[in-house]
Structures are given as C-alpha cells and as structure tokens.
Amino acid sequence: MLCKIDDLPDEILEYILSLIPPYKDLQECTLVSKRWYRATKNVIEHNEAHFQKAVALGSLFWKTCPGADWLPTIDLDTRKWIRPITMGSYPSPKACATMLYYKKNFILFGGWSHPSPYPLHQQWKLFNELHVYSIELNRWSAINALESPPPTSAHSASIHGNLMVVFGGVCNGYSSNEVWCLNLDTYCWHKQTTSNLKPQPRYGQSQIELDSKHLLILGGCTGPNVAMNDAWLLTMENPNWTWRKVNMLRSECAPTRIWCHQACKVGDYVIVLSRNKQICQTNDMSISLAKNACQRPTPSEVQDPVPAFERHKNVAPIDRDENVNGRRGSFPRSSMSSPQSPPLVSVPHRPLPILDSPTLGMAAFREELPRPRPNLHRQRQLEWLRRMEEKIQNLKTQTKPVKKTENTLAIFVLDISKVLSDECVASWIPLKPNDQSGPDERILYSLVLGRGELIVFGGIRKEQTTIQGQTETDDSEVYNDLHFINPPRYVI
C-alpha cells in the first residue's frame, strides 16, 4: 500500500517541514497548497517561539560552518558562499563603518583606514562618506549631501521610521557623544539636540532599536583601556531628545566588557558575545592587525582606535607589500631588527656559509681570481639558496608560535523587557552552564539575527603567542570564519 505525503497527519507534515532550512526553501513550501501554507506558518511560529524561549533561558549552542572557499555572500539555505559582482560607485576600503538595511537597500556610513605608505607621516583617514547599495540592482551609489557629520568611525547607528540615527564614535581624533540624523527619503543630515544629561563620549558601543521612538546604547569605550558596561535610553520625542541612564541589575552575570562586541536584539532580550568569564585571561584592549587569517591584506598594527587617531605621529611606519615572501600581508617596521629594538625571534648568531667561501670573502681587498664558468656559478648559487631555505624552514619549525586559545567567546543575555517602564531597568540573566565552548575570543565581528538563529562572522582576536619560552602579545589575527548560535533541537 503506497502512502503519499498528503496522507500524512498534520503533525508528521510539520515535523518534516521543520527540517527544512528556515529561509527561501521553507518560504516556497507555502506555495504548494493551502494545507502546506498552514503547516509552514505553524512551523515558522513554533521556531520563533522556541528560539525566544531558549534565549530567555540562556539555552543556546554554538555551531560552526565548515570551511570552504571564501566568497563575500552567504546563502543561508545551503550554508555556502557566493560572490555577486557589484556595479556603481564603490565605497573606499575601510573599517569600523556602519551598514543598515532599509527598503531593499544597505546604508553604509563612516569608517576609517590607514594612510597610504607614501608620502610618509600621513594621518589616519576618517570618512563621512555615505553610500547606498541596492540589492535589486546590485549597484552602489554615492550620496552627496550639503551638510553631513564630521568624518566618523567606530560609531553606532539604527533606523527608526525613515531616520537613520547615528551616535558617538571617533570624530576629529576625539570620542563623541553627538547625535546625527539622516532622512532616508531626502538624504539630508541634521544634528539633533539632546538633554544635558547624556552618555560620556565613547566609541565601539552597540545601538539597539527598541521602537520608532526609543533606542538603547550599550557599552563602548571612553578612552584607552576604559571600557563601559553601562546602558542609556534615548527617547526621540519633542524637539529636544532625552537621555536616561538604565539601572543594570545582576552585574555579576554581565560580560567583562562590551567594547566592540556587537549586540543583537531578540524579542525582549539582547544577546552580547564577550570573553568567557570562567576561563578568561588578562588581556588589554588594543587592536593589532599584524597577522592575517583571511585573504585581503590588512594594516599591520592598530592600537586602541582613539590613541591611533590622536597620536598618529607616534605610529611606526609600515612596509606595505602586496606579496611578502610569497604570502600576502604587511610587516610593521618595528618587527624588523634594529639597534633600538631587538628582533621578535632570538636566533643564535651563526656565520653564513657564503662568508666562509674563499672566493667571495673580503672580495674588495683581494686581487681578482679566476671566475668559474657562468653556468657552474649559477648552479652553486641555486644549491646554496636551497640549503639556506632548508635551514630557514627548520628554524621556523623549531620556533613556531604556539597559539593559546584559552579565551573563547561566551553568550550573555540582557533582559530589557522593563527598560521602557518608569523604573528603566535591565537585568542580566544567569547562564546555564554547558560543556560547549565558543570560538576564539574576538572583537569587531558581525552579529546578525537570522530566522531562529544568530549568525556570527569574522572578527579580530588579540593573539597570545609563545616563542622560545618568551610570551609575545603584539600579534593579532583576523578571521573569516562563520558560526551559528542555535537553540536546542525540538520535535513538534
């Protein structure tokens, strides 16, 4: 007796549909029939309710996407990357900008970049560029406004109605607590006045949209190694907007820092990823880009953003070679041996074999000797280079840095259900311990809300290495890995 899928009970059909990725494929199931439409809608509602319940209980689990050829866009149905070839006026290469979704467009604003290597002693460059990327047209457009904010980086932004509200960041080398608004219909900027009571100037904070009239500022950094774990509520009513400080409860359950750790709102809760407090080790808050773990060459060394902008004259010049020893990257001059700074790797002094050769040593003070045949001389050079390469490879093997990955990312949950009440209260939720560990600790990652899951991409990790028994902490690593945060599996 043959059984068709239409003969299955609704519970079995919904269970089968729950196994389909909750993106394009699941949406297309609503087009099959009225029964499938109802079953699919039930699955979507159950998935959302189950995810929010897991967030409220702190019962979330990490899942890593297997590595593959890196491309700029992820297909969430297949968990594979694809690369769209965009057109139009491209934005400048930069970091610490904001990009928000609005009516099938992405709005990109601000950011910073290293100066070009020549001429020397140039300042770090901040941007106040505004670009719009159309998803349907696959095209970038540059927007020129009559009035705009000063060049800004490490700021935060959110969209409320047809306004993009920008707060804080680094402007003109100093932290800011100004509020700027962009009308997304006319692309006109204006500086918004606010109450006298306001957050300290800061950068690297998270900005959460609560509704069309309220937003939440969480964390940030007010200066070198001065992280903030506070929260502020901005009420966007009347000509003069009002700030109010949020009372934070259960601070013992809060993350160690919320600085360049992106937060994401899920219902009445905010998810923050930060260092695992159970296994964390001492670390500073500087950012260094000396080592790359992705394809694009990046700046060689970045300390804390504010010191870098304010004290750019003290930043060491950088050698920028697109291909250094066959590997893409850039080296800081400070890492090269000099009379003032010792080399990173201590190697016993040994005379090079070429200096021991009787035909080459002290050549400027000897009479000219008979030269060997060109081909034979070339063969000897190649053989010597081969032996030297083997010695260098053996040396690298002996002094290979040992990465310490004790510090990992952990999930923290903030209950903001009462932040709009008269008490203006938010409370950190105690997490349920589990044996699962997150990815390596990092900052400046992307954290976005998917359908019944959170998606984490990239970031920079302060790297602690050990070379010949000595601890070095000046290296960093840039990641292009992809992780998902999911609730436990359930059966309808």
Side-chain angles (χ1 to χ4, degrees), residues 6 103 123 159 243 344 372 384 386 391 412 428 464:
D6 290 336
K103 292 184 178 179
Q123 296 184 6
I159 291 180
W243 284 104
L344 290 178
W384 178 81
R386 185 187 62 80
K391 291 182 179 180
F412 297 85
W428 293 101
Q464 187 177 24

Side-chain angles (χ1 to χ4, degrees), residues 29 108 119 127 142 154-155 180 186 234 278 292 320 351 360 409 421 428 471 491:
C29 291
L108 178 68
F127 297 93
H155 53 285
W180 284 81
T186 62
L234 178 61
Q278 298 178 352
N292 290 332
R320 296 179 181 277
L360 296 177
L409 281 182
S421 65
W428 293 101
T471 300
V491 177

Side-chain angles (χ1 to χ4, degrees), residues 315-454:
V315 178
I318 298 171
D319 282 340
R320 296 179 181 277
D321 192 337
E322 294 298 327
N323 195 317
V324 181
N325 291 338
R327 298 180 64 183
R328 297 184 67 85
S330 57
F331 289 143
R333 292 184 187 271
S334 59
S335 65
M336 302 178 184
S337 60
S338 63
Q340 289 79 15
S341 60
L344 290 178
V345 180
S346 177
V347 181
H349 175 71
R350 296 178 182 177
L352 294 177
I354 190 171
L355 298 179
D356 296 334
S357 173
T359 62
L360 296 177
M362 302 294 290
F365 300 94
R366 289 184 292 102
E367 296 181 0
E368 184 176 357
L369 298 177
R371 296 183 179 181
R373 289 175 296 177
N375 291 340
L376 181 60
H377 181 64
R378 179 61 176 168
Q379 290 177 0
R380 290 177 178 175
Q381 284 183 326
L382 294 175
E383 179 63 21
W384 178 81
L385 289 173
R386 185 187 62 80
R387 292 197 302 267
M388 289 299 298
E389 185 178 2
E390 291 179 356
K391 291 182 179 180
I392 293 173
Q393 291 296 333
N394 293 335
L395 183 62
K396 287 182 177 180
T397 303
Q398 296 173 2
T399 61
K400 185 177 181 181
V402 180
K403 295 183 180 180
K404 297 182 179 180
T405 57
E406 289 88 351
N407 293 348
T408 59
L409 281 182
I411 303 170
F412 297 85
V413 181
L414 178 65
D415 184 354
I416 58 171
S417 58
K418 298 181 180 179
V419 76
L420 295 179
S421 65
D422 294 337
E423 295 83 4
C424 194
V425 171
S427 177
W428 293 101
I429 296 178
L431 299 178
K432 289 186 175 181
N434 57 60
D435 298 332
Q436 216 183 28
S437 62
D440 295 338
E441 180 197 0
R442 61 193 68 186
I443 60 174
L444 298 176
Y445 51 80
S446 297
L447 175 64
V448 296
L449 177 63
R451 295 178 181 173
E453 62 185 0
L454 291 165

Side-chain angles (χ1 to χ4, degrees), residues 211-226:
D211 55 35
S212 61
K213 297 296 182 182
H214 298 88
L215 64 81
L216 187 71
I217 296 296
L218 184 62
C221 191
T222 60
N225 296 315
V226 185

Side-chain angles (χ1 to χ4, degrees), residues 17-221:
L17 293 175
S18 69
L19 302 177
I20 300 175
Y23 296 96
K24 182 179 178 181
D25 291 343
L26 186 60
Q27 291 294 328
E28 291 178 346
C29 291
T30 61
L31 306 177
V32 175
S33 65
K34 291 183 178 180
R35 185 191 179 203
W36 279 49
Y37 177 86
R38 292 191 300 269
T40 302
K41 289 299 183 181
N42 288 337
V43 169
I44 295 175
E45 292 176 1
H46 290 164
N47 286 342
E48 183 65 25
H50 178 64
F51 181 56
Q52 294 202 18
K53 182 178 180 180
V55 169
L57 298 175
S59 180
L60 298 171
F61 299 90
W62 289 96
K63 181 180 179 182
T64 302
C65 184
D69 294 336
W70 192 90
L71 291 171
T73 305
I74 184 68
D75 181 347
L76 293 173
D77 280 323
T78 62
R79 298 295 201 252
K80 294 182 179 179
W81 291 96
I82 58 175
R83 181 177 184 178
I85 306 301
T86 59
M87 301 176 292
S89 301
Y90 278 56
S92 303
K94 51 191 173 181
C96 295
T98 53
M99 187 165 69
L100 300 174
Y101 176 81
Y102 178 74
K103 292 184 178 179
K104 299 183 180 180
N105 294 293
F106 286 113
I107 314 298
L108 178 68
F109 171 70
W112 69 271
S113 71
H114 279 282
S116 59
Y118 299 101
L120 300 176
H121 308 298
Q122 295 187 78
Q123 296 184 6
W124 300 70
K125 188 171 184 179
L126 295 174
F127 297 93
N128 60 353
E129 298 176 340
L130 180 65
H131 284 80
V132 177
Y133 172 71
S134 171
I135 298 175
E136 293 181 335
L137 300 178
N138 191 29
R139 174 179 289 274
W140 284 102
S141 300
I143 306 299
N144 296 318
L146 295 178
E147 182 184 8
S148 61
T152 305
S153 174
H155 53 285
S156 58
S158 57
I159 291 180
H160 305 262
N162 66 339
L163 286 182
M164 181 175 76
V165 181
V166 177
F167 169 75
V170 177
C171 307
N172 301 319
Y174 298 94
S175 300
S176 169
N177 60 356
E178 294 180 348
V179 176
W180 284 81
C181 298
L182 173 67
N183 188 309
L184 296 174
D185 295 331
T186 62
Y187 294 117
C188 293
W189 287 96
H190 74 272
K191 184 178 179 180
Q192 179 63 45
T193 59
T194 60
S195 58
N196 293 329
L197 177 65
K198 60 184 65 178
Q200 293 177 259
R202 64 188 65 199
Y203 58 93
Q205 68 278 351
S206 291
Q207 185 166 321
I208 306 297
E209 173 202 0
L210 301 180
D211 55 35
S212 61
K213 297 296 182 182
H214 298 88
L215 64 81
L216 187 71
I217 296 296
L218 184 62
C221 191

